[in-house]
């Protein structure tokens, strides 16, 4: 079994190690456009030694943004600022990935540092869309517009256009966001999907949105580049989506050409009881890897070098994705390599060599 600092090859792409930076919303764009914040934020993490740097949930349509500050890729003007960042990431030895997303009924919210509640249409917000006209709840209580079948096709076309722009921007790793209670996950979960047409009800109907979207994106995303999906493996709520359904979905996604499943959880409903703790989502990555025979990424409360290394060495996942720990320490991969006795695996930028 490989260890944390062994390279990882998926299709034609080889990551220099098995540490990835998880996609993390920065809520710092104007009309979806990336700027110097994103260059410094993502660029620093490439310098720190991560093998993969995944850009935040990037909206495929303006109404698919969680907040007015979300990154976007719904227009051609978004491409060049992202391409600039990706040239920097690549120059420093990391692979640039992107998560393309639609927030569904959790869109139209204030940025977290302004409270995160839904914004009224006359206060900078907009009408949200979802599988069914069922609000999320709590302070995100807007009643979404239930998408018609034509409108569903429109959103899927938005994902296809976003994938083409992602390629034009130089990304070499694509992730579809189907987790955390956003649009695609809203189709999966019976708690948010109450449709009576071919997109709701049975398991086959609830997975139709993500399977069709995957199939459509597969046609425009190069066969030789990694194509991945993030799912919430369980809603942690009675009557919701669960790990058994996730395993079966992973098998179907593999058939559609998905190369890796990024295994998160939660986000569907506000009343979920989530047993947060070290490695709490790792068993999901392990089960999907074993039972669906597909590569997985483990994410969530992974903070320690030995912990991350053990996940890889034990074959629970092929890749670990760090989020908040990478915010606390962009040089986590360099520090972890040293701690694990693989110091040579992470080389400093030449400008920093004398301090290494
Ligand atoms: C963590 N978050 C994920 C976000 C933005 C808000 C915070 C995202 O995917 N864009 C989260 C984890 C699990 C469930 C809900 C939210």
């Amino acid at each position: 079994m490989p260890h944390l600092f062994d390279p990882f090859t998926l299709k034609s792409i080889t990551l220099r190690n098995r540490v990835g930076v998880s996609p993390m919303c920065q809520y710092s764009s104007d009309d979806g456009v990336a700027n110097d914040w994103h260059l410094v934020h993502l660029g620093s993490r490439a310098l720190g030694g991560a093998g993969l740097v995944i850009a935040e949930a990037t909206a495929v349509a303006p109404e698919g943004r969680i907040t007015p500050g979300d990154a976007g890729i719904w227009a051609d003007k978004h491409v060049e600022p992202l391409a600039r960042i990706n040239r920097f990431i690549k120059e420093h030895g990391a692979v640039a990935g992107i998560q393309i997303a639609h927030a569904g009924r959790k869109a139209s919210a204030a940025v977290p540092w302004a409270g995160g509640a839904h914004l009224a249409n006359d206060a900078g917000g907009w009408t949200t869309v979802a599988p069914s006209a069922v609000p999320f709840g709590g302070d995100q209580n807007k009643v979404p517009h239930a998408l018609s079948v034509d409108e569903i096709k429109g959103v899927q076309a938005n994902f296809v256009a976003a994938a083409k722009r992602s390629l034009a921007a130089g990304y070499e790793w694509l992730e579809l966001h189907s987790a955390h209670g956003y649009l695609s996950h809203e189709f999966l979960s019976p708690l948010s999907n109450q449709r009576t047409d071919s997109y709701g009800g049975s398991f086959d109907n609830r997975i139709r949105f993500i399977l069709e979207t995957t199939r459509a994106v597969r046609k425009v995303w190069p066969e030789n580049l990694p194509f991945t999906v993030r799912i919430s493996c369980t809603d942690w709520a009675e009557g919701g989506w669960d790990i058994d359904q996730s395993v079966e979905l992973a098998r179907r996604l593999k058939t559609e050409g998905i190369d890796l499943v990024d295994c998160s959880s939660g986000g569907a409903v506000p009343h979920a009881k989530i047993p947060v703790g070290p490695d709490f989502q790792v068993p999901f990555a392990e089960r999907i890897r074993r039972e669906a025979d597909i590569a997985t990424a483990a994410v969530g409360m992974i903070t320690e070098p030995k912990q991350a290394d053990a996940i890889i060495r034990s074959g629970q996942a092929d890749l670990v994705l760090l989020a908040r720990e990478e915010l606390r320490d962009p040089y986590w991969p360099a520090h972890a390599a040293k701690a694990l006795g693989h110091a040579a695996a992470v080389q400093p930028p030449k400008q920093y060599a004398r301090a290494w």
Side-chain angles (χ1 to χ4, degrees):
M1 223 56 104
H3 63 72
L4 192 62
F5 288 94
D6 277 329
F8 176 51
T9 298
L10 198 57
K11 293 288 183 66
S12 68
I13 296 298
T14 297
L15 309 181
R16 59 186 168 184
N17 58 51
R18 279 119 186 295
V19 184
V21 180
S22 203
M24 285 181 279
C25 290
Q26 299 297 300
Y27 310 110
S28 299
S29 299
D30 181 5
D31 203 30
V33 181
N35 54 50
D36 288 356
W37 175 262
H38 306 89
L39 173 68
V40 174
H41 163 66
L42 297 166
S44 300
R45 281 148 190 88
L47 295 181
L52 173 67
V53 178
I54 309 179
E56 68 195 84
T58 303
V60 302
E63 66 277 11
R65 289 174 294 173
I66 303 167
T67 78
D70 283 28
I73 192 153
W74 65 81
D76 291 341
K77 71 171 180 180
H78 295 121
V79 172
E80 183 45 37
L82 295 171
R84 171 186 176 226
I85 296 168
N86 295 340
R87 286 192 290 271
F88 184 89
I89 290 173
K90 196 168 179 171
E91 194 178 311
H92 294 284
V95 169
I98 184 171
Q99 182 190 60
I100 57 174
H102 191 302
R105 68 179 182 174
K106 291 169 85 172
S108 183
V111 296
W113 47 86
H118 265 159
L119 295 168
N121 290 3
D122 61 4
W126 55 88
T127 301
T128 58
V129 303
S132 305
V134 182
F136 176 69
D139 60 6
Q140 299 209 338
N141 231 344
K142 282 189 139 177
V143 179
H145 162 71
L147 291 165
S148 69
V149 170
D150 276 355
E151 289 165 340
I152 289 173
K153 305 286 175 201
V155 174
Q156 292 173 328
N158 294 154
F159 271 92
V160 171
K164 287 186 191 163
R165 290 194 187 96
S166 299
L167 188 66
Y171 289 105
E172 297 180 305
W173 182 289
L174 182 67
E175 176 168 282
L176 305 179
H177 198 348
S178 190
H180 300 167
Y182 301 115
L183 184 67
S184 182
H185 181 189
E186 289 160 16
F187 277 94
L188 298 177
S189 176
L191 302 176
S192 43
N193 184 345
Q194 299 178 2
R195 297 178 75 95
T196 54
D197 65 1
S198 64
Y199 288 93
S202 67
F203 173 79
D204 281 348
N205 284 354
R206 285 179 284 113
I207 67 171
R208 192 176 307 281
F209 178 83
I210 186 61
L211 288 189
E212 286 181 352
T213 304
T214 300
R215 202 171 297 148
V217 171
R218 176 75 287 176
K219 294 193 177 111
V220 302
W221 184 252
E223 194 53 53
N224 65 339
L225 292 180
F227 185 25
T228 77
V229 178
R230 173 170 279 189
I231 61 172
S232 281
C233 295
T234 176
D235 290 344
W236 301 110
E238 197 63 35
W241 181 258
D242 58 25
I243 180 62
D244 292 330
Q245 296 176 75
S246 295
V247 170
E248 182 55 27
L249 173 61
R251 293 189 184 114
R252 312 272 189 107
L253 288 169
K254 183 181 175 182
T255 307
E256 299 296 343
I258 289 295
D259 304 308
L260 174 145
V261 178
D262 177 0
C263 300
S264 190
S265 75
V269 288
H271 60 266
K273 292 273 171 292
I274 308 183
V276 177
D279 283 1
F280 77 115
Q281 295 172 147
V282 173
F284 303 135
E286 180 179 21
R287 251 197 84 181
I288 288 175
R289 189 170 187 269
R290 184 162 20 98
E291 296 181 26
D293 191 28
I294 189 167
T296 60
V299 63
M301 295 289 279
I302 301 170
T303 59
E304 300 304 317
K306 281 206 173 100
Q307 177 194 8
D309 192 43
I311 292 167
I312 302 298
R313 286 185 189 268
S314 63
Q316 291 171 295
D318 298 276
L319 187 62
V320 297
L321 297 178
L322 271 56
R324 288 172 290 177
E325 191 60 20
E326 270 278 339
L327 296 186
R328 291 183 280 263
D329 180 10
Y331 289 89
W332 191 94
H335 294 146
K338 223 173 231 182
L340 295 170
H342 293 282
V346 177
Q347 291 300 315
K350 60 180 181 285
Q351 295 89 338
Y352 294 178
R354 282 178 299 169
W356 215 249

